[in-house]
């Protein structure tokens, strides 16, 4: 049986009215659509390959596990789906640039939602969209959660001294004072 190549698959998919697909950059056994759907060409038939499942990483980005070799064995490598979409449809990301999700949704990996920007522009957009903040718990130097801050204000409003609250939380009276003023 002959192996289905990405080029054959793309032409077969076009004949069947399936959305336009491209070979995955660097992964010869997969094809990808512009909206981030990845299909395996493992099946050696002139039909639609298997749609692969994705998973979310701890950073909120969508990843997909791919194998270099044909067959069911061999190590898998998790690849960021937005980078795979861009590489397969537009080529390498320009030097000193990163990919930005225009709408701020890390799960929307459509090509139309990706744009190369500088790292500083990416950070500016994240702040503007509210994805990053320096307020409250989102500040990396924050010492208390929102619930603890509410508790501190509640305790002090009912007459517990700032010194006592500071001792209970193993912090300074100055930190408590900044919260209740």
């Amino acid at each position: 049986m002959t192996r289905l190549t990405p080029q054959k698959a793309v032409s077969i998919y076009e004949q069947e009215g399936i959305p336009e697909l491209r070979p995955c950059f660097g992964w010869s056994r997969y094809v990808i659509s512009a909206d981030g759907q990845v299909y395996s060409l493992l099946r050696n038939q002139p039909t639609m390959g298997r749609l692969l499942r994705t998973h979310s990483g701890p950073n909120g980005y969508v990843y997909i596990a791919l194998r270099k070799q044909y067959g069911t064995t061999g190590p898998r490598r998790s690849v960021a789906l937005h980078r795979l979409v861009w590489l397969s449809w537009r080529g390498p990301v320009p030097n000193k640039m990163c990919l930005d999700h225009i709408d701020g949704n890390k799960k929307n990996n459509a090509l139309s939602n990706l744009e190369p920007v500088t790292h500083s522009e990416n950070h500016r957009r994240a702040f503007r969209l509210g994805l990053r903040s320096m307020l409250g718990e989102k500040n990396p130097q924050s010492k208390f959660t929102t619930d603890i801050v509410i508790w501190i204000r509640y305790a002090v409003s009912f007459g517990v001294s700032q010194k006592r609250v500071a001792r209970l939380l193993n912090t300074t009276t100055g930190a408590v004072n900044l919260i209740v003023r």
Side-chain angles (χ1 to χ4, degrees), residues 149-162 165 176 179-180:
V149 169
I150 291 169
W151 181 85
I152 290 170
R153 289 180 177 155
Y154 180 78
V156 171
S157 71
F158 278 94
V160 179
S161 72
Q162 290 183 18
V165 169
V176 174
I179 290 170
V180 296

Side-chain angles (χ1 to χ4, degrees), residues 68-166:
K68 283 280 188 188
Q69 300 135 357
Y70 279 90
T72 56
T73 60
R76 289 182 184 202
R77 180 168 171 228
S78 282
V79 179
L81 189 57
H82 66 287
R83 293 196 61 81
L84 187 61
V85 169
W86 187 267
L87 282 168
S88 300
W89 285 83
R90 297 284 189 254
V93 179
N95 195 20
K96 296 187 179 181
M97 303 282 263
C98 61
L99 290 176
D100 180 46
H101 290 81
I102 296 169
D103 66 359
N105 180 0
K106 294 179 182 179
K107 298 194 182 319
N108 180 0
N109 292 298
L111 183 62
S112 60
N113 188 47
L114 300 174
E115 178 180 30
V117 295
T118 63
H119 290 287
S120 59
E121 177 62 21
N122 196 23
H123 284 288
R124 271 194 291 280
R125 289 181 181 186
F127 276 104
R128 191 175 61 237
L129 292 172
L131 302 173
R132 293 186 132 227
S133 173
M134 294 304 281
L135 302 176
E137 291 180 54
K138 293 183 178 180
N139 186 324
Q141 295 181 345
S142 173
K143 296 186 181 6
F144 304 113
T145 64
T146 304
D147 293 336
I148 301 270
V149 169
I150 291 169
W151 181 85
I152 290 170
R153 289 180 177 155
Y154 180 78
V156 171
S157 71
F158 278 94
V160 179
S161 72
Q162 290 183 18
K163 188 174 185 178
R164 174 91 173 119
V165 169

